[in-house]
Amino acid sequence: MDVLELQKVKRDFSLVYQRKIPIKVLKKDGSREAFQIQKVINAVGKSAYRAMTELTEEEKERLCQGVIERVEELEYHEIPIAMMHNIVESTLEEVKPAVAKSYRDYRNYKQDFVRMLDDVYKKSQSIMYIGDKENSNADSALVSTKRSLIFNQLNKQLYEKFFMTAEEIQACRDGYLYVHDMSSRRDTMNCCLFDIKNVLTGGFEMGNMWYNEPKTLDVAFDVIGDIVLSAASQQYGGFTVPSVELILEPYGEKS
């Protein structure tokens, strides 16, 4: 049992702090749920944990009282969840500002991901039913290409979110900066001079299968073709085998 669960066991604030007239919280999906102050305490407890602190019993009581007072001032029978978040946040600012910041940052973080997934969904619909012309080498009529393009759109959003500064993002939007192949930069490399000689020497394993070092020129060509197909598909941009004539020379002599 973790710290947050222990806090729940210690005291249920919903039994102590109750409104005279029950109200419902209108959630984002349209469903309604009875307002319980203990859920506020639990959510704020997680925010405090992320801020590496915790609320004292006195601070929890002040939070409960402040939230309920603000709710009663509204005289609503239903409160949208966004409004409830604002009430909790403003009360937290008075009780413990550091936790209020953690609570606010987490809300913004979730909202960013909602927006991100919404953008990806819109782009995926466009790819599925209209196609994509950004890359002339990718045939967006193929199912495999559609899947790749949709995944790339998500990767692009994640790269922008976690790797780019606010100044870089703004420069991209204003047209001053262009990040080439942004969708592929998170998990692979660009433009490779592949050391195929080192791979061939002594044999190698690929696709859970062991390949012996070629003994003839014909076999070397075939094996190099397999290697290039496999390795090139794991990256984006140019893929080059430099000085291939020098690599093939010993296999030509063996032939």
Side-chain angles (χ1 to χ4, degrees):
M1 185 177 293
D2 61 21
V3 175
L4 296 177
E5 289 176 337
L6 283 171
Q7 289 176 350
K8 295 177 189 177
V9 172
K10 285 181 181 178
R11 187 177 182 187
D12 187 348
F13 285 86
S14 293
L15 300 176
V16 181
Y17 296 92
Q18 296 182 354
R19 289 194 74 246
K20 299 174 183 177
I21 302 174
I23 64 167
K24 299 284 186 180
V25 177
L26 182 61
K27 304 184 79 173
K28 292 178 182 177
D29 60 2
S31 63
R32 291 164 175 78
E33 189 175 290
F35 170 70
Q36 294 181 358
I37 196 65
Q38 183 61 42
K39 291 194 173 183
V40 173
I41 294 296
N42 294 343
V44 171
K46 293 176 183 177
S47 296
Y49 183 76
R50 285 190 292 270
M52 294 184 291
T53 184
E54 61 180 31
L55 271 66
T56 64
E57 289 298 307
E58 180 187 352
E59 288 170 337
K60 290 177 184 177
E61 290 174 359
R62 287 175 56 199
L63 175 63
C64 291
Q65 290 171 353
V67 169
I68 289 178
E69 285 174 4
R70 282 176 164 84
V71 168
E72 289 180 343
E73 286 173 2
L74 295 173
E75 297 182 351
Y76 289 175
H77 294 291
E78 285 185 356
I79 297 183
I81 188 67
M83 185 180 292
M84 183 60 71
H85 282 311
N86 291 336
I87 291 172
V88 174
E89 187 179 319
S90 60
T91 308
L92 264 177
E93 283 287 357
E94 299 174 1
V95 175
K96 200 154 192 171
V99 178
K101 182 180 184 304
S102 173
Y103 185 86
R104 180 168 53 252
D105 289 346
Y106 186 64
R107 279 187 65 199
N108 294 339
Y109 179 79
K110 290 196 296 183
Q111 289 169 357
D112 286 345
F113 265 86
V114 169
R115 178 196 56 77
M116 186 187 303
L117 290 176
D118 185 55
D119 290 344
V120 172
Y121 175 75
K122 290 176 182 176
K123 183 65 176 178
S124 71
Q125 294 301 294
S126 174
I127 291 169
M128 290 294 293
Y129 298 108
I130 300 174
D132 184 83
K133 302 296 183 184
E134 287 186 9
N135 188 342
S136 59
N137 296 319
D139 183 1
S140 60
L142 300 175
V143 173
S144 58
T145 305
K146 290 180 189 290
R147 289 174 177 170
S148 177
L149 289 171
I150 293 170
F151 176 73
N152 285 347
Q153 184 64 25
L154 175 61
N155 252 353
K156 183 177 179 180
Q157 295 283 343
L158 291 173
Y159 182 84
E160 185 178 290
K161 171 71 177 174
F162 293 107
F163 289 89
M164 295 180 68
T165 65
E167 291 79 7
E168 290 170 341
I169 293 171
Q170 189 61 51
C172 285
R173 291 174 181 171
D174 292 341
Y176 294 108
L177 182 66
Y178 173 72
V179 181
H180 182 61
D181 287 329
M182 189 191 298
S183 60
S184 302
R185 290 183 175 272
R186 283 185 62 249
D187 49 14
T188 184
M189 67 190 77
N190 178 29
C191 297
C192 174
L193 295 175
F194 195 78
D195 185 8
I196 208 161
K197 180 180 179 181
N198 190 43
V199 175
L200 291 173
T201 303
F204 61 95
E205 185 177 351
M206 182 173 67
N208 296 324
M209 183 180 295
W210 180 261
Y211 287 71
N212 292 319
E213 183 176 355
K215 293 183 173 59
T216 65
L217 190 60
D218 286 345
V219 174
F221 274 120
D222 293 339
V223 173
I224 288 174
D226 290 346
I227 294 171
V228 169
L229 283 173
S230 178
S233 65
Q234 305 305 316
Q235 65 152 82
Y236 69 101
F239 185 92
T240 304
V241 179
S243 305
V244 68
E245 70 281 1
L246 298 178
I247 296 169
L248 291 171
E249 182 180 359
Y251 305 113
E253 292 174 353
K254 291 179 182 179
S255 300

